[in-house]
Structure formats: structure tokens, C-alpha cells
Amino acid sequence: MKKNITINIKGLVFHIDEDAYEKLNQYLNEVKHYFSHQDGASEIIDDIEARISELLAEHLDNQKQVVTIKDVNHVIKIMGTTAEMQEGKNAEEEAFQQKRAKRLFRDPENKILGGVAGGMAAYFNIDALWFRLAFVLLSFFALGPLAYIVFWVAVPMARTTAEKLEMKGEKVNIDTIERSVKEELRDLGQSLNSYANMAMRSFDKNKSSFKKTGNVAADGLMDILRFALKVAGVIAGFFLLFTALSLVTVIMAGLFFPEVTHFLIEDLPLTFHAPAFAEMFFSGGLDFTLLVLGLVVVVGLPLLALVTLSIRLDIRTSYPDRHQRKHCLADMVCCPLYYRCRCAFYC
Amino acid sequence: MKSEKAKAQLRKGILELCILSILENREAYASDIIARLKQADLIVVEGTLYPLLTRLKNNGLLEYHWQESKSGPPRKYYKLTEEGKATQQALKTDWFVLTDQVNRIIKEKEDIS
């Protein structure tokens, strides 16, 4: 049994297997991106979609009603991958493509929040650390988080191999794509190898524990260290969240009800009260909404960033499985104890 | 490998003339054109033809009209414009002169050897 999706390509309705849909969707995205710099791009893509729809329709009849991954592969073979289209280009078009400059993307492989700094690093060919540092420093002026959010929203993620190459400013053709895919595979192979080694070592551990006492001890130490770090991470995340939330509450409350801050810190030299502040700056006491607004931007936004950051950190450690994350909000609200237990369990 | 690239380059150059010639005295739908070109081994994948047709259309050499189809979405039927016909004639003449000259060069070499 397989789950099916209903799609509509140029007016024809198809029932398509989920995996086939993923493949077709990815292919169409690649094609769209490939032609996006060309004159009449939308028309070309419309033509291609119409042809795909026609080819798929040829494969179906009353007996066979569902588009499978085999059909999609067949269609892609007929239409050609973007790399094959590249080979069929004439010199004029090729020259046009070579002129294409680097583009700013968000880098999914080098990201902490949204990959903005990673993308900038690829664009300017500077280590991402500097951009991260800059954003953190800027966050003291509230500009950082704001700028970051703007970039996050405005800059697209580099999803396909072609986009990743474009992000680094490499010419997109079959050779560079092949190279990049090979690199990715090699990385994957290496990490698989190291997993295999780890498994072998733990097997050895059981079989002849006295043989590699030194190694095993080192391994055990690393495991404990890793565990301790994770625990520390969860605790830190929790406290960050708690601190940030209380600070936000106190400051917001204090702005408008000075009694709150006075109640908490009795001998506060200055009243942390918006109207009082305004009094200091505008002796006439006229327009203080501006000042309040400024305070909110300067103090409130970095704190808000801190809150979201700590929540994300927390959720990532407690819900390693992506698909379960949708439940986490409900857990957090309805049963904080259960949520905490998950954190403890997963680290 | 080198010769493969050169061959591909050679084919690319004459693709335009071939498309215009296929359409010389008849209307055709993109798949008809593709089928003919594939038969002649001039293109490998269909994806390369659509941008070419769009470019020829935008340059005013081709025009198309929509026609309903039984098996799928409506199809574009292409035909030559007046300008397209003139271009096709000019290219065709050029082609004959070119092949004639190229053949002569190749033959001369063979005669000497």
C-alpha cells in the first residue's frame, strides 16, 4: 500500500505516489531554476510542464491509474536533466550563462539559525564566524536580529546542487555538479565509516575488553563528556529561556507600572517608568511614545531574539525527530513536566 | 571524448536550420519536431528544444496557435512567419554553399593522399 497525492499539471489531474511526487517536484524546481535567467522563462516552463503532463497521461489507462516513480524517471529521461540540457545549449546561450554572477543564498550545510551567515560566508568567501560575530554584536543595538530576520525572509535557501554551486559562484555545468555531488558522497561515506568504526570498537569492547583498555577508557570518557555537555546544554537552554522571559515581563511591566520594578528592587535609583523617562528628555512631557517605542526596539527585540533562540535550542535537544516537533508546543503548554522529562530522556 | 564534443558542437549549429526546414511547408507540434530531430540524431533530450522554439518565436521567425488534443492539454502548433521563411531560405542557400565547399576541402585532401 502506498499513500497517493493528487496533482494538477496544466489542467490534467494525476494521482501520484508520494515518492514519485517528490522526484517530479524536485525535477520541476531544478528546471525552473535552470531557466529562470533566460528570456521567456515562464513560457518555456509552461511548455515543458504541458509535455510532461502529456507524457504522463500516455502512461495511464483504466488498469493503471497511478503515476509511479518509474513513470517519472521515464519522463525525466525523455525530457533530460538540467545537466543534459546544458550540454545541448548553443554557444550563444552558454556565454550568457557564464556571465551569471554569484548569488546570495542561505546555506543549509553551514547554519545555526537560518543559514544567513553561512550564505554570506560563501558569497564573500570569508569564514562564517565573522558574520555570526557581527550579528551578535549588532544585536546590542537591536539592528542585528532585525537585519537577520530580514535576510532570513528575503534570501532563499540553496536547495539544489545547482543553487549550492551558484552560492559559491562556481559555474553551473555538468562537471562542477558532478564534482560537488562526489564531494557530498565522500563526506557521507566518511561519516558512515566512522560510525562503522565506532560500532566495531564497541563490539571489540565487549569481546576483549582487556585488550584495548586505554582506548575504551578514552571512549568512555568522551561519552561521559558528551553526555555532560548535553545536560549542560539543556539546563542552560532552560535557564536562558526563564531569564529572558522574566526579564521581558519585568521590563514591559515596569515601563508602564513602576510599582512592579519598585516591588522587586526596592532602592532602584531611577524609576524604570516610561513616562518618567520621557519627563527627563522632554521637559514638556509631550511626545514620549517615541521614547517608549525606542526602548522597546533597543531592549525588547534582542530579548525576543534570546527567547526564540533558547526555545529552538530546547526543542532541538528534546525532540530530535522532526516529525514529533509539532507536538512539542502542546506538551510545553499542557504538561511542562512531561516536556522536561523528554529533555532529560533524550540527552 | 574530444570528437564527441566537436560532433555535438557541429549539430548545435545546424539545429535552427533543421527546425525551420521541418516547418517549411507544414505546421507541426513540438513533439513532431522532436521526433524528427531525434530520428536524425540531432538532439538527445527534449528539454533542449523548448527554449530554442521560444527563442525563435520571440525573434519573430515562428508563430503558433493552440489546438485542442484528445490525450492531454492543448498543444501549440508552430509555423513559419514571413520572416522565418526568408531566414530559412537564406540559411538553406548558405548551407548548400557551405557543404559544397567543405566537401571540396575534404575531397582535395583525399585526392592528394
Side-chain angles (χ1 to χ4, degrees):
Chain A
M1 193 183 76
K2 267 186 165 175
K3 200 168 138 193
N4 271 204
I5 294 169
T6 309
I7 54 170
N8 161 0
I9 313 176
K10 287 277 154 289
L12 289 195
V13 174
F14 295 98
H15 298 292
I16 182 167
D17 282 341
E18 215 176 359
D19 52 349
Y21 167 77
E22 291 294 332
K23 179 108 190 201
L24 186 62
N25 192 30
Q26 195 198 346
Y27 175 70
L28 279 175
N29 280 338
E30 259 169 48
V31 168
K32 269 181 204 161
H33 177 259
Y34 176 76
F35 286 118
S36 61
H37 301 275
Q38 214 157 310
D39 283 345
S42 62
E43 196 177 351
I44 298 170
I45 291 158
D46 278 353
D47 286 350
I48 288 179
E49 278 192 358
R51 178 66 179 151
I52 288 176
S53 152
E54 205 175 60
L55 285 170
L56 287 177
E58 279 171 15
H59 281 241
L60 300 177
D61 53 37
N62 278 338
Q63 261 80 53
K64 185 175 174 303
Q65 301 185 330
V66 176
V67 177
T68 63
I69 189 124
K70 227 175 103 189
D71 300 331
V72 171
N73 282 335
H74 180 71
V75 165
I76 293 177
K77 204 177 151 208
I78 292 178
M79 299 304 294
T81 61
T82 50
E84 283 165 333
M85 290 181 196
Q86 178 86 29
E87 283 194 326
K89 279 205 155 185
N90 62 34
E92 185 188 333
E93 285 161 280
E94 209 155 346
F96 175 76
Q97 194 143 26
Q98 272 178 351
K99 268 191 292 178
R100 198 163 68 186
K102 269 186 189 181
R103 278 183 67 196
L104 185 60
F105 281 106
R106 287 185 287 120
D107 188 354
E109 279 148 26
N110 186 6
K111 72 169 193 173
I112 288 183
L113 274 172
V116 172
M120 287 180 166
Y123 188 83
F124 294 108
N125 206 10
I126 302 171
D127 199 294
L129 184 72
W130 298 109
F131 292 102
R132 298 208 170 102
L133 216 62
F135 274 121
V136 170
L137 284 178
L138 275 176
S139 72
F140 288 113
F141 308 104
L143 203 66
L146 207 65
Y148 193 92
I149 290 167
V150 169
F151 275 118
W152 198 342
V153 173
V155 179
M157 182 78 93
R159 289 183 204 284
T160 62
T161 310
E163 282 175 342
K164 280 174 197 164
L165 286 168
E166 224 180 323
M167 178 178 74
K168 290 169 192 156
E170 284 186 57
K171 210 181 120 219
V172 185
N173 64 27
I174 187 157
D175 295 331
T176 49
I177 287 182
E178 195 185 335
R179 202 177 64 217
S180 155
V181 168
K182 268 186 187 157
E183 273 170 19
E184 264 170 51
L185 281 178
R186 203 187 51 221
D187 286 350
L188 187 72
Q190 274 171 355
S191 55
L192 279 179
N193 261 340
S194 66
Y195 274 124
N197 281 341
M198 249 158 65
M200 284 292 278
R201 248 182 288 165
S202 62
F203 180 68
D204 281 347
K205 228 187 325 197
N206 296 334
K207 213 170 77 179
S208 53
S209 52
F210 58 93
K211 259 190 190 168
K212 296 180 177 175
T213 331
N215 258 348
V216 173
D219 273 359
L221 208 65
M222 280 306 285
D223 282 347
I224 292 168
L225 207 67
R226 220 171 280 146
F227 180 73
L229 268 177
K230 269 194 174 175
V231 174
V234 170
I235 293 172
F238 182 60
F239 276 105
L240 270 176
L241 183 64
F242 185 73
T243 323
L245 274 178
S246 7
L247 273 174
V248 169
T249 325
V250 168
I251 286 171
M252 285 302 163
L255 274 178
F256 300 101
F257 307 101
E259 300 80 16
V260 180
T261 33
H262 270 295
F263 174 72
L264 286 173
I265 312 160
E266 265 178 36
D267 46 14
L268 199 69
L270 271 173
T271 324
F272 203 65
H273 185 210
F277 263 128
E279 208 70 38
M280 282 167 59
F281 286 98
F282 313 100
S283 47
L286 276 171
D287 187 6
F288 64 83
T289 31
L290 201 68
L291 188 72
V292 176
L293 210 69
L295 272 176
V296 169
V297 170
V298 169
V299 184
L301 280 185
L303 281 177
L304 203 68
L306 199 63
V307 172
T308 42
L309 187 70
S310 47
I311 289 179
R312 283 179 71 105
L313 198 73
D314 219 25
I315 289 175
R316 268 197 203 174
T317 42
S318 345
Y319 291 81
D321 185 359
R322 260 166 177 278
H323 300 289
Q324 287 182 328
R325 279 188 197 154
K326 54 175 179 266
H327 304 302
C328 76
L329 196 69
D331 288 350
M332 229 190 291
V333 176
C334 302
C335 190
L337 192 69
Y338 169 70
Y339 174 72
R340 281 293 120 205
C341 286
R342 271 193 80 100
C343 294
F345 178 72
Y346 272 111
C347 68
Chain B
M1 250 344 249
K2 278 265 155 61
S3 71
E4 282 301 313
K5 271 198 176 160
K7 274 190 205 164
Q9 214 66 38
L10 216 60
R11 282 180 170 77
K12 278 179 210 167
I14 51 178
L15 211 48
E16 259 171 60
L17 171 60
C18 290
I19 293 171
L20 295 177
S21 301
I22 289 171
L23 294 169
E24 190 176 358
N25 286 315
R26 62 176 185 134
E27 294 185 4
Y29 155 62
S31 289
D32 301 337
I33 304 174
I34 287 166
R36 187 67 193 87
L37 291 175
K38 272 191 175 167
Q39 198 190 332
D41 237 359
L42 280 162
I43 57 167
V44 185
V45 292
E46 295 193 4
T48 41
L49 189 81
Y50 294 96
L52 205 56
L53 284 175
T54 304
R55 193 159 54 85
L56 291 175
K57 189 212 72 184
N58 287 344
N59 289 348
L61 303 181
L62 297 182
E63 59 188 3
Y64 66 84
H65 67 96
W66 291 101
Q67 203 158 318
E68 290 297 327
S69 129
K70 279 168 276 160
S71 60
R75 297 168 162 184
K76 276 178 184 174
Y77 274 81
Y78 288 92
K79 66 173 187 189
L80 296 182
T81 59
E82 286 308 314
E83 202 187 337
K85 279 176 195 163
T87 311
Q88 196 262 342
Q89 287 302 325
L91 279 176
K92 194 165 80 177
T93 321
D94 245 33
W95 171 252
F96 284 134
V97 175
L98 194 71
T99 43
D100 194 39
Q101 295 300 328
V102 172
N103 283 341
R104 262 186 218 174
I105 293 175
I106 298 171
K107 289 261 168 60
E108 272 167 29
K109 280 276 177 199
E110 279 173 1
D111 288 344
I112 294 164
S113 65

